[in-house]
Amino acid sequence: MKKLNYLLTMFFALTLFVGCDTDPDNNAPAADEGGLTVYVGDSSGKVLGTPLDANDLENTEIAFNDADVELDFASRLSLGNYANASSFEVVKTLNGGNEVIVGQGATLPIDIVYSTIDEYVSGLGVAASDLRIGDVFTFKVKLYQADGDLYYFAPNMGEFSVTVNCASNLVGMYQVTATRDDGASWNQGIEPIIEISPGYYKAKTTGGWAFGTIAPDQGYNFNDVCSTLTVPPQDLAQGYYSNDVTPGDPGAVLPNGDLVINYGISFSSGDRTYQNVYVKQ
């Protein structure tokens, strides 16, 4: 029986867990991987389009322009050697479905480059017209050992995902006003919004609670999915503070380009909610 293994990294120590295909929770230490780890952190990609019916994102087809579709998947050996490696594969899935091999070789690097939506769906048994907003393409690195064992690298090491989304361009300068749930309000001044990845952005500050303290405000990240703005859970890690940001009600990109974003912040004294309004400059 071929074993299924997962390579995991914890700080400076490398730990390998091996489990049978039919019992993935039955893990035991192994020591034959030679400390081999991979890195895909330099990868980039986007699949952006325009829904034909903006009021029915779950069901409507999407019009794609190849100018808004790209992939540069780069897998590199980051630690170890090939002494016990037989071969590598890069596979892709759509929404966690069946794997399709898109690259293979005896050593790394293995690079996958796409410039069209047809390349993304090739081999998956779907057409571009079947895609919907929120679908996820995932690319994974697999290692075949000389002894026949198969290893998947941990997601933070050997996986890269691209989410189908609407085209989004919120980068710019905004006049920001933050209002707390008790009505207190702060004029935050003019601040930038920067792009982390397509449809995923970072705001410079949270609500005005950190003003006048020794802790700099590290801001928060948010998603734009077809002009609906949401804040995922995250840790502010603000210097002397370490408060969690929590999701709020969905916000929006307004027709004039202004933004409304809702979120919460967890404090030891109790959770508070905020609404930030960003006026495009």
Side-chain angles (χ1 to χ4, degrees), residues 47-270:
V47 178
L48 307 177
T50 303
L52 301 187
D53 182 355
N55 296 315
D56 188 12
L57 296 181
E58 292 185 0
N59 299 302
T60 189
E61 291 186 23
I62 304 168
F64 292 102
N65 183 329
D66 286 341
D68 290 322
V69 178
E70 63 182 37
L71 175 71
D72 186 356
F73 178 83
S75 56
R76 303 287 185 266
L77 178 69
S78 63
L79 184 67
N81 57 65
Y82 299 111
N84 296 319
S86 174
S87 64
F88 295 86
E89 287 180 350
V90 174
V91 299
K92 70 178 175 183
T93 63
L94 176 62
N95 299 328
N98 294 332
E99 294 180 352
V100 174
I101 299 172
V102 295
Q104 50 193 334
T107 61
L108 299 175
I110 299 175
D111 294 340
I112 310 298
V113 177
Y114 291 163
S115 58
T116 68
I117 192 62
D118 289 338
E119 290 173 298
Y120 264 97
V121 300
S122 177
L124 292 171
V126 299
S129 59
D130 297 318
L131 297 176
R132 298 294 180 264
I133 296 297
D135 285 346
V136 180
F137 293 94
T138 300
F139 297 82
K140 303 178 183 180
V141 180
K142 298 168 66 173
L143 164 64
Y144 290 88
Q145 294 268 55
D147 61 7
D149 288 352
L150 163 63
Y151 294 86
Y152 283 86
F153 292 89
N156 65 343
M157 185 191 306
E159 291 188 14
F160 177 73
S161 293
V162 180
T163 300
V164 180
N165 201 350
C166 294
S168 174
N169 183 18
L170 304 184
V171 172
M173 303 300 295
Y174 296 80
Q175 174 71 48
V176 187
T177 301
T179 302
R180 198 168 59 195
D181 49 24
D182 61 357
S185 183
W186 295 267
N187 182 340
Q188 310 261 100
I190 296 177
E191 299 179 355
I193 285 179
I194 62 173
E195 183 181 68
I196 298 174
S197 60
Y200 190 45
Y201 298 91
K202 182 175 182 63
K204 183 179 180 181
T205 62
T206 56
W209 67 276
F211 282 8
T213 74
I214 60 175
D217 190 333
Q218 298 299 319
Y220 63 95
N221 299 342
F222 65 95
N223 292 297
D224 174 20
V225 178
C226 302
S227 296
T228 296
L229 306 181
T230 57
V231 177
Q234 57 203 277
D235 186 344
L236 285 177
Q238 297 192 74
Y240 292 90
Y241 296 88
S242 183
N243 302 79
D244 292 333
V245 169
T246 58
D249 293 335
V253 180
L254 303 181
N256 63 359
D258 295 347
L259 315 178
V260 177
I261 305 177
N262 302 298
Y263 59 93
I265 300 179
S266 298
F267 298 97
S268 59
S269 59

